[in-house]
Amino acid sequence: MTLIATQSLTKTYGGRVTALADLTVAVEPGIIGLVGANGAGKSTLIKILLGLIAPTSGQVSVLGIDPTADPAAVRSRVGYMPEHDCLPPDLSAAELVTHLGRMSGLPRTAARERASEALRHVGLYEERYRPVGGYSTGMKQRVKLAQALVHDPDLLLLDEPTNGLDPAGRDAMLALVHRIGTEFGISVLVCSHLLGEVERICDTLIAIDGGRLLRADNISAMTTATDVLAVEVSEGTEELAARLAELKLPVARDGRLLLVPLADDGTYDLILGAVAELDLPLHRLDQRRHRVAELFATRELTHA
Amino acid sequence: MPEPSTAAVRSTPTGVIHDIGYQRYEGPRLGRRQVFGALYLHGLRTAFGLGRSAKAKIFPWLVVGIVSLVAVALAAVRSQIGEPVATYAQFADAMSWLVIFFVAVVAPELVSRDLRSGVLPLYFSRPLPRADYALAKLLALVTALWLLLGGPQLLMFLGAAFTTKQGMRGVWNELLDLLPGLLYAGLWAVVFASVGLLVASLTGKRAFAAGGVVAVFLMTTPIVGVLSILPSRAANELAGLASPSTLVQGVGIWSLGDLLVEGDPGEMMIGGFGPVYALAAVLLVAGATALLLARYRKVAS
């Protein structure tokens, strides 16, 4: 089943500001990373998926349901963690999550039980009886995640869950999201402006920029297909780059390294031949997996 | 479901926690009406500070204490002198200032707090429609105000019923006096709740919201004063329309007559404009509710 599908989805505010432009994407269940710079349209997309705002044009379906036609049906199966502060400081986490569980239609006792379960899963134990106002940012983020989880959704929409966290907190939050996506059997759409962060945990990556789709693909397909060779010579880097370009190899510079996409074993021979020909001191020649960020960078390079 | 494996057994300094893993929820999911009911009850409890900090309980219960004390005192005096000091409706009128302050504290507690903390996206990302949120809060405030006035009226009734010298007949007559009084209390509740909640929903700052509520209810009374001394009989008789309190009193005089003013026309004259007052009250409540719903269609989207 397709988890989220959009067809030519467009959203303009007041006819002037374009938040989403002709976005067509379809993803399978799993952990999906939605990356883009601030203002790329990530939050707008999430709000359309929740049926909170209507698209200007185009179709959208979440878990096979159209949120513009039946928002209540979508929302009862989706959990949403907003980006901004949204916790009343004077309530305890247990009270808040229980209340929001009831608002999702859980009976009183079930809401209380599931609230403490959800808080336990995100790592809040005794502190859940204290007012949220005294919590650290990391704990608040966990409460926000717990309230999205309390009604046992089939899909979680997480808007910048690592916002404001220190590196250790980020790792812990990402590990938690990964655990939810794998062990709990709940699909997760996690939004971030930091590509390096989400690529570690997600199966599928959607990259958008200025409301347009840059790329949407399975993350393993993205990385394995584009292994590169990193070449480093102690001197004569420029000459080597020019020589390789003559050999019709698409060379990219990365500091002192030259990056050459690995087409087949012949690529090794070509590079070694070029180095020997120019009589350069070869420092390093190794294969490495592309990080997704470089993948986008090289794509832009080849376009240019 | 994931198997509880040895890896899932976590040891902590305080002991061993057996992680039984995540459980899917298979139980019932309630519909829109029950969720509305839950939010309504939550609002009603919030109005009286129940389930909240001790600080949040002080003011509501102070007001409840004062109105109950007045009601008990009235009942006691009546049992001594043998005739009523104030009718049920007059009691509601006399308590109007306290009702205004109660609204000024409770309405911001119900809506401004949610606006301020940004919790609304958490409500609106759930199946509950936006209008239900606003209506549940409104109904909770109406109920709270009605209980605030109707509860003490019931105390007065009990006092009168137990001290009546006419037996069951006296109790029955007293009940016939009480019922219009309760209806009148309901009118106070509906008008003050709809206007008060609308004002409070405009700002997330509780102090501003409280000030706004008081301003709307109290700043309009000088207008009534000015209109009622104009050299025009019609202007005098319509003066009460300018303020919510006098509007409610006007409807009361028209519909309850001597139950409210008891022979003495008092300072307020509405002439033959009674139906105008009633219509104005209906329009005020309908208008305030429509604006409240419009407000919640826009907010936090």
Side-chain angles (χ1 to χ4, degrees), chain B residues 165-246:
Chain B
K165 295 183 176 63
Q166 296 157 291
M168 281 316 288
R169 188 179 171 74
V171 174
W172 178 248
N173 282 338
E174 200 57 40
L175 189 65
L176 290 182
D177 283 351
L178 171 68
L179 293 179
L182 287 177
L183 280 180
Y184 187 58
L187 180 66
W188 272 106
V190 171
V191 170
F192 277 61
S194 55
V195 175
L197 205 66
L198 173 65
V199 174
S201 75
L202 298 178
T203 171
K205 292 197 168 66
R206 253 189 284 186
F208 286 178
V213 171
V214 172
V216 166
F217 288 127
L218 295 191
M219 297 304 172
T220 46
T221 42
I223 305 173
V224 177
V226 170
L227 288 176
S228 60
I229 54 166
L230 284 181
S232 152
R233 192 183 159 86
N236 297 349
E237 290 176 348
L238 286 172
L241 292 175
S243 170
S245 325
T246 47

Side-chain angles (χ1 to χ4, degrees), chain A residues 90 99 104-105 147 151-152, chain B residues 22 24-25 30 52 123 126:
Chain A
D90 51 347
H99 176 61
S104 283
Q147 66 78 29
H151 54 292
D152 187 26
Chain B
Y22 183 76
R24 300 301 307 231
Y25 177 70
L30 305 177
R52 308 278 327 284
Y123 280 98
R126 294 181 147 75

Side-chain angles (χ1 to χ4, degrees), chain A residues 16 55 59 64 128 143 152 163 178 214 218 220 251 263 273 301:
Chain A
R16 284 171 296 131
Q59 279 93 49
R128 67 176 186 262
V143 177
D152 187 26
N163 231 3
H178 186 251
L214 279 183
N218 201 300
S220 53
V251 184
L301 257 181

